[in-house]
């Protein structure tokens, strides 16, 4: 659906076709924000998310591309601007997680995580720094495991610690532009990314670890993002831990 009203707030959500990304896209749409739902390889899932948003009365389009490819992401931002008139909110949920002890990690997996989690976030943040309108927000994704330090998460945590660092620097580089830059660090959240490869006992133990004694839901994380994307104009250069009190 085309909307040329430049007063409409517009969001681009990377990895927006499933899991936390889809919950974020749908939550922002409920706030009246026009949403570009980014996908890397599964356009059908992005189309499903777009259809759900439109059916609920929102505005959304799918946009594709490798987040680590600067040309693809430049084209994605171009498509959003052409469709909706600008970009106000950029949410980087796209990421991959491979778990292994550091001693036995396949370095190809390290490189894959580096490409998506670090370079991908950097490329999208770079475009966002150039294009997000005043009054906007850039929201990256870290992880609570930077605090809990669970074994087998070493390479993943290394990539997310880099995301935290670049987020805090970018917030200060955008001085005077009225753009906030923050990161959300979810705790254990019931998504395919988290549940994949974990047995029932492991999931149950993680669910009981937080004082609220449950796993997070994608909607829990989406609420944190909506807060940073909208009313939280005095929160800037921070990492918001959304984990039920786990750490």
């Amino acid at each position: 659906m085309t909307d040329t009203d430049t007063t409409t707030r517009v969001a681009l959500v990377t990895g927006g076709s499933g899991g936390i990304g889809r919950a974020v896209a749908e939550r922002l749409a409920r706030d009246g924000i026009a949403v570009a739902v980014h996908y890397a390889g599964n356009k059908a899932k992005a189309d499903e998310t777009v259809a759900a948003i439109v059916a609920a009365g929102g505005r959304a389009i799918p946009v594709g591309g490798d987040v680590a490819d600067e040309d693809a992401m430049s084209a994605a931002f171009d498509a959003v601007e052409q469709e909706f008139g600008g970009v106000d909110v950029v949410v980087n949920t796209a990421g991959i997680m491979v778990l292994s002890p550091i001693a036995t990690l396949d370095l190809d997996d390290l490189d894959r995580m580096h490409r998506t989690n670090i370079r991908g976030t950097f490329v999208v943040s770079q475009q966002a720094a150039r294009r997000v309108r005043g009054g906007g927000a850039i929201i990256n994704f870290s992880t609570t495991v930077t605090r809990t330090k669970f074994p087998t998460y070493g390479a993943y945590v290394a990539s997310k610690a880099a995301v935290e660092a670049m987020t805090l620097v970018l917030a200060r580089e955008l001085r005077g532009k009225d753009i906030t830059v923050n990161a959300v660090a979810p705790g254990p959240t019931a998504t395919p990314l988290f549940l994949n490869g974990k047995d029932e006992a492991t999931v149950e133990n993680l669910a009981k670890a937080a004082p609220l004694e449950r796993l997070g839901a994608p909607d829990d994380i989406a609420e944190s993002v909506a807060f940073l994307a909208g009313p939280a104009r005095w929160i800037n250069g921070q990492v918001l831990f959304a984990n039920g009190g786990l750490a």
Side-chain angles (χ1 to χ4, degrees):
M1 298 178 66
T2 300
D3 188 337
T4 57
D5 180 0
T6 58
T7 65
T8 300
R9 284 174 64 78
V10 178
L12 168 61
V13 181
T14 71
S17 61
I20 290 173
R22 175 167 180 165
V24 167
E26 293 179 341
R27 178 64 181 81
L28 295 180
R30 289 199 297 274
D31 281 345
I33 298 174
V35 181
V37 178
H38 164 269
Y39 64 93
N42 194 333
K43 186 176 186 298
K45 286 184 66 179
D47 287 342
E48 288 176 10
T49 304
V50 167
I53 290 171
V54 172
R59 290 157 295 171
I61 60 168
V63 293
D66 176 1
V67 289
D69 183 327
E70 62 270 31
D71 293 330
M73 286 302 97
S74 179
F77 274 79
D78 287 345
V80 178
E81 290 174 344
Q82 181 176 357
E83 183 73 12
F84 293 124
V87 181
D88 302 285
V89 178
V90 174
V91 187
N92 275 305
T93 75
I96 60 175
M97 180 172 67
V98 180
L99 302 183
S100 169
I102 291 171
T104 56
L105 179 72
D106 185 329
L107 293 180
D108 287 341
D109 289 333
L110 177 66
D111 290 342
R112 287 198 300 122
M113 281 190 283
H114 186 287
R115 177 174 173 79
T116 297
N117 298 354
I118 300 178
R119 180 185 169 92
T121 299
F122 194 99
V123 166
V124 174
S125 294
Q126 185 177 67
Q127 288 294 323
R130 297 168 178 171
R131 305 213 200 190
V132 167
R133 296 184 287 201
I138 300 168
I139 303 162
N140 292 325
F141 263 70
S142 181
T143 173
T144 288
V145 191
T146 57
R147 287 188 175 181
T148 58
K149 306 173 185 67
F150 294 143
T152 74
Y153 282 79
Y156 179 67
V157 166
S159 72
K160 291 302 188 176
V163 168
E164 288 190 12
M166 74 175 79
T167 298
L168 305 189
V169 170
L170 182 57
R172 287 147 182 85
E173 290 180 346
L174 295 184
R175 173 182 292 274
K177 295 185 179 296
D178 191 25
I179 296 168
T180 61
V181 189
N182 295 289
V184 173
T189 306
T191 66
L193 179 70
F194 168 76
L195 296 172
N196 183 44
K198 293 183 175 68
D199 60 30
E200 186 174 342
T202 299
V203 172
E204 180 67 17
N205 286 337
L206 287 168
K208 293 293 186 182
L212 296 180
E213 294 192 336
R214 67 173 176 86
L215 294 178
D219 285 346
D220 293 320
I221 312 306
E223 287 295 336
S224 300
V225 173
F227 175 60
L228 293 174
R233 298 306 304 164
W234 196 234
I235 298 177
N236 188 31
Q238 305 298 320
V239 180
L240 176 61
F241 285 82
N243 57 30
L246 178 62

